[in-house]
Amino acid sequence: MEYFENRERAESFGEVARDYDEFRPKYPAALITAIMQAARASADSQTDASPPSTGDRTASAPRILDVGSGTGILASQVRSAGAEILAVEPDEEMAAVARSKGLDVDVSTFEDWDPQGRTFDLVSFGQSFHWVDPAVALPKIRTLLRPGGSLALAWNDIRPQGELKTRLNAVVARFHADGRTASLGSRASRGIEANQEATAGSGTTESVPAVEAVEHPALTQLRDAGFNPNETTFVEDLHYPRHEWLSMVFTYSAQLTMDPVKRAVMREEMSAEIPEDGLDARNEALLVLAGA
């Protein structure tokens, strides 16, 4: 079953909307910069192509449609970077949190959403592309993009480091015998471990090419739909207090759809493995930028 077909998991986030917003990570600053560069390139091309007018002509803020916006984590970051944002989010509780940040949100699935003739410099999906049907979504996205516009797919993928990773993975395996992972990021989408050679110094963010042996499945979907995708991985070394790590892990659909008693036991067992001073983790955030 594809992720977008599993509606129980896709629709499980509203019950933890506040925790989702508090504990899910922001995207690396360099990833946001890359998205904004693509969006501004489209916006600038529209300005250059517009008819001459009296006075100086200035570039307008790029218009971005953020799909599956959740609580507006990615949308807020690109808005702070200078974009004009419209968010589309199917869950009322998640949308309410995004609106509390001042974001403009249409509550709808993307497949059913009516653009009302609006077009955008960039369409973004933050941790959400796997929840839409690509056979429906990708042709629709092509109609929404202005000439020179781009599609941006982003996933944070944060994993514990060192020997603790093995112990926590063992806990997850005991509770998820079906093989599902505790999170869903770029590596979970590939079904393989990401290349460990792409490293950054402690406390730094570094952009590196993604060189996994198995291609991300979205790339094939994009090419088949006439897009020209490129992927980049942005690496951050992080430290999480125990409570914050556990609170983040238990906002993922694999845990949200568990039996509540089993979920509580799983959290206790994971907590017992994590030192009091927390854990070191690495985010290998994936960005796929695709021109139409």
PDB file of all heavy atoms in Angstrom, residues 52-69:
ATOM      1  N   PRO A  52       6.557  47.359 -19.900  1.00  0.00           N
ATOM      2  CA  PRO A  52       7.164  48.515 -19.242  1.00  0.00           C
ATOM      3  C   PRO A  52       6.077  49.395 -18.631  1.00  0.00           C
ATOM      4  O   PRO A  52       4.954  49.473 -19.112  1.00  0.00           O
ATOM      5  CB  PRO A  52       7.882  49.232 -20.385  1.00  0.00           C
ATOM      6  CG  PRO A  52       8.048  48.198 -21.444  1.00  0.00           C
ATOM      7  CD  PRO A  52       6.878  47.286 -21.328  1.00  0.00           C
ATOM      8  N   SER A  53       6.404  50.061 -17.533  1.00  0.00           N
ATOM      9  CA  SER A  53       5.478  50.983 -16.882  1.00  0.00           C
ATOM     10  C   SER A  53       6.247  52.202 -16.422  1.00  0.00           C
ATOM     11  O   SER A  53       7.477  52.216 -16.422  1.00  0.00           O
ATOM     12  CB  SER A  53       4.797  50.305 -15.694  1.00  0.00           C
ATOM     13  OG  SER A  53       5.770  49.901 -14.743  1.00  0.00           O
ATOM     14  N   THR A  54       5.545  53.222 -16.038  1.00  0.00           N
ATOM     15  CA  THR A  54       6.205  54.421 -15.563  1.00  0.00           C
ATOM     16  C   THR A  54       6.839  54.147 -14.212  1.00  0.00           C
ATOM     17  O   THR A  54       6.316  53.385 -13.398  1.00  0.00           O
ATOM     18  CB  THR A  54       5.201  55.576 -15.429  1.00  0.00           C
ATOM     19  OG1 THR A  54       4.165  55.161 -14.531  1.00  0.00           O
ATOM     20  CG2 THR A  54       4.613  55.923 -16.780  1.00  0.00           C
ATOM     21  N   GLY A  55       7.971  54.776 -13.941  1.00  0.00           N
ATOM     22  CA  GLY A  55       8.654  54.569 -12.674  1.00  0.00           C
ATOM     23  C   GLY A  55       9.508  53.322 -12.710  1.00  0.00           C
ATOM     24  O   GLY A  55       9.530  52.564 -13.668  1.00  0.00           O
ATOM     25  N   ASP A  56      10.230  53.109 -11.620  1.00  0.00           N
ATOM     26  CA  ASP A  56      11.095  51.939 -11.520  1.00  0.00           C
ATOM     27  C   ASP A  56      10.263  50.693 -11.240  1.00  0.00           C
ATOM     28  O   ASP A  56       9.322  50.708 -10.455  1.00  0.00           O
ATOM     29  CB  ASP A  56      12.112  52.121 -10.380  1.00  0.00           C
ATOM     30  CG  ASP A  56      13.101  53.224 -10.686  1.00  0.00           C
ATOM     31  OD1 ASP A  56      13.341  53.480 -11.882  1.00  0.00           O
ATOM     32  OD2 ASP A  56      13.600  53.847  -9.724  1.00  0.00           O
ATOM     33  N   ARG A  57      10.621  49.601 -11.893  1.00  0.00           N
ATOM     34  CA  ARG A  57       9.927  48.338 -11.702  1.00  0.00           C
ATOM     35  C   ARG A  57      10.727  47.490 -10.726  1.00  0.00           C
ATOM     36  O   ARG A  57      11.919  47.283 -10.895  1.00  0.00           O
ATOM     37  CB  ARG A  57       9.795  47.617 -13.046  1.00  0.00           C
ATOM     38  CG  ARG A  57       8.948  46.368 -12.986  1.00  0.00           C
ATOM     39  CD  ARG A  57       8.738  45.814 -14.393  1.00  0.00           C
ATOM     40  NE  ARG A  57       9.998  45.412 -14.983  1.00  0.00           N
ATOM     41  CZ  ARG A  57      10.160  45.177 -16.290  1.00  0.00           C
ATOM     42  NH1 ARG A  57       9.158  45.374 -17.114  1.00  0.00           N
ATOM     43  NH2 ARG A  57      11.336  44.787 -16.759  1.00  0.00           N
ATOM     44  N   THR A  58      10.078  46.998  -9.672  1.00  0.00           N
ATOM     45  CA  THR A  58      10.770  46.195  -8.668  1.00  0.00           C
ATOM     46  C   THR A  58      10.200  44.790  -8.665  1.00  0.00           C
ATOM     47  O   THR A  58       9.030  44.566  -8.973  1.00  0.00           O
ATOM     48  CB  THR A  58      10.615  46.807  -7.266  1.00  0.00           C
ATOM     49  OG1 THR A  58       9.223  46.900  -6.947  1.00  0.00           O
ATOM     50  CG2 THR A  58      11.238  48.194  -7.217  1.00  0.00           C
ATOM     51  N   ALA A  59      11.046  43.840  -8.297  1.00  0.00           N
ATOM     52  CA  ALA A  59      10.607  42.445  -8.240  1.00  0.00           C
ATOM     53  C   ALA A  59       9.625  42.262  -7.092  1.00  0.00           C
ATOM     54  O   ALA A  59       9.809  42.802  -6.001  1.00  0.00           O
ATOM     55  CB  ALA A  59      11.818  41.537  -8.053  1.00  0.00           C
ATOM     56  N   SER A  60       8.576  41.518  -7.347  1.00  0.00           N
ATOM     57  CA  SER A  60       7.591  41.249  -6.302  1.00  0.00           C
ATOM     58  C   SER A  60       8.036  40.034  -5.491  1.00  0.00           C
ATOM     59  O   SER A  60       8.910  39.270  -5.899  1.00  0.00           O
ATOM     60  CB  SER A  60       6.221  40.985  -6.935  1.00  0.00           C
ATOM     61  OG  SER A  60       6.287  39.873  -7.801  1.00  0.00           O
ATOM     62  N   ALA A  61       7.430  39.871  -4.317  1.00  0.00           N
ATOM     63  CA  ALA A  61       7.723  38.690  -3.502  1.00  0.00           C
ATOM     64  C   ALA A  61       7.278  37.446  -4.244  1.00  0.00           C
ATOM     65  O   ALA A  61       6.198  37.422  -4.848  1.00  0.00           O
ATOM     66  CB  ALA A  61       6.993  38.794  -2.173  1.00  0.00           C
ATOM     67  N   PRO A  62       8.072  36.397  -4.236  1.00  0.00           N
ATOM     68  CA  PRO A  62       7.651  35.165  -4.908  1.00  0.00           C
ATOM     69  C   PRO A  62       6.420  34.580  -4.234  1.00  0.00           C
ATOM     70  O   PRO A  62       6.275  34.627  -3.005  1.00  0.00           O
ATOM     71  CB  PRO A  62       8.863  34.237  -4.754  1.00  0.00           C
ATOM     72  CG  PRO A  62       9.652  34.792  -3.622  1.00  0.00           C
ATOM     73  CD  PRO A  62       9.409  36.261  -3.616  1.00  0.00           C
ATOM     74  N   ARG A  63       5.534  34.019  -5.035  1.00  0.00           N
ATOM     75  CA  ARG A  63       4.308  33.398  -4.522  1.00  0.00           C
ATOM     76  C   ARG A  63       4.526  31.896  -4.436  1.00  0.00           C
ATOM     77  O   ARG A  63       4.869  31.244  -5.427  1.00  0.00           O
ATOM     78  CB  ARG A  63       3.121  33.718  -5.429  1.00  0.00           C
ATOM     79  CG  ARG A  63       2.794  35.200  -5.516  1.00  0.00           C
ATOM     80  CD  ARG A  63       1.500  35.409  -6.277  1.00  0.00           C
ATOM     81  NE  ARG A  63       0.370  34.830  -5.540  1.00  0.00           N
ATOM     82  CZ  ARG A  63      -0.776  34.455  -6.109  1.00  0.00           C
ATOM     83  NH1 ARG A  63      -0.930  34.562  -7.428  1.00  0.00           N
ATOM     84  NH2 ARG A  63      -1.747  33.973  -5.378  1.00  0.00           N
ATOM     85  N   ILE A  64       4.320  31.341  -3.233  1.00  0.00           N
ATOM     86  CA  ILE A  64       4.540  29.917  -2.983  1.00  0.00           C
ATOM     87  C   ILE A  64       3.252  29.290  -2.472  1.00  0.00           C
ATOM     88  O   ILE A  64       2.597  29.829  -1.570  1.00  0.00           O
ATOM     89  CB  ILE A  64       5.681  29.694  -1.973  1.00  0.00           C
ATOM     90  CG1 ILE A  64       7.016  30.158  -2.567  1.00  0.00           C
ATOM     91  CG2 ILE A  64       5.764  28.223  -1.560  1.00  0.00           C
ATOM     92  CD1 ILE A  64       8.205  29.996  -1.630  1.00  0.00           C
ATOM     93  N   LEU A  65       2.896  28.154  -3.047  1.00  0.00           N
ATOM     94  CA  LEU A  65       1.802  27.326  -2.554  1.00  0.00           C
ATOM     95  C   LEU A  65       2.422  26.185  -1.760  1.00  0.00           C
ATOM     96  O   LEU A  65       3.185  25.389  -2.296  1.00  0.00           O
ATOM     97  CB  LEU A  65       0.981  26.771  -3.716  1.00  0.00           C
ATOM     98  CG  LEU A  65      -0.159  25.827  -3.327  1.00  0.00           C
ATOM     99  CD1 LEU A  65      -1.277  26.587  -2.623  1.00  0.00           C
ATOM    100  CD2 LEU A  65      -0.690  25.086  -4.555  1.00  0.00           C
ATOM    101  N   ASP A  66       2.097  26.104  -0.468  1.00  0.00           N
ATOM    102  CA  ASP A  66       2.642  25.045   0.383  1.00  0.00           C
ATOM    103  C   ASP A  66       1.556  24.006   0.616  1.00  0.00           C
ATOM    104  O   ASP A  66       0.527  24.285   1.245  1.00  0.00           O
ATOM    105  CB  ASP A  66       3.126  25.624   1.713  1.00  0.00           C
ATOM    106  CG  ASP A  66       3.889  24.601   2.532  1.00  0.00           C
ATOM    107  OD1 ASP A  66       4.776  23.938   1.956  1.00  0.00           O
ATOM    108  OD2 ASP A  66       3.603  24.470   3.737  1.00  0.00           O
ATOM    109  N   VAL A  67       1.784  22.793   0.123  1.00  0.00           N
ATOM    110  CA  VAL A  67       0.761  21.745   0.104  1.00  0.00           C
ATOM    111  C   VAL A  67       1.008  20.751   1.238  1.00  0.00           C
ATOM    112  O   VAL A  67       2.137  20.334   1.478  1.00  0.00           O
ATOM    113  CB  VAL A  67       0.758  21.001  -1.242  1.00  0.00           C
ATOM    114  CG1 VAL A  67      -0.305  19.910  -1.245  1.00  0.00           C
ATOM    115  CG2 VAL A  67       0.525  21.978  -2.387  1.00  0.00           C
ATOM    116  N   GLY A  68      -0.077  20.355   1.907  1.00  0.00           N
ATOM    117  CA  GLY A  68       0.077  19.499   3.080  1.00  0.00           C
ATOM    118  C   GLY A  68       0.861  20.238   4.133  1.00  0.00           C
ATOM    119  O   GLY A  68       1.770  19.704   4.758  1.00  0.00           O
ATOM    120  N   SER A  69       0.469  21.495   4.356  1.00  0.00           N
ATOM    121  CA  SER A  69       1.273  22.425   5.144  1.00  0.00           C
ATOM    122  C   SER A  69       1.334  22.079   6.614  1.00  0.00           C
ATOM    123  O   SER A  69       2.202  22.569   7.332  1.00  0.00           O
ATOM    124  CB  SER A  69       0.714  23.847   4.981  1.00  0.00           C
ATOM    125  OG  SER A  69       1.622  24.813   5.430  1.00  0.00           O
TER     126      SER A  69
END
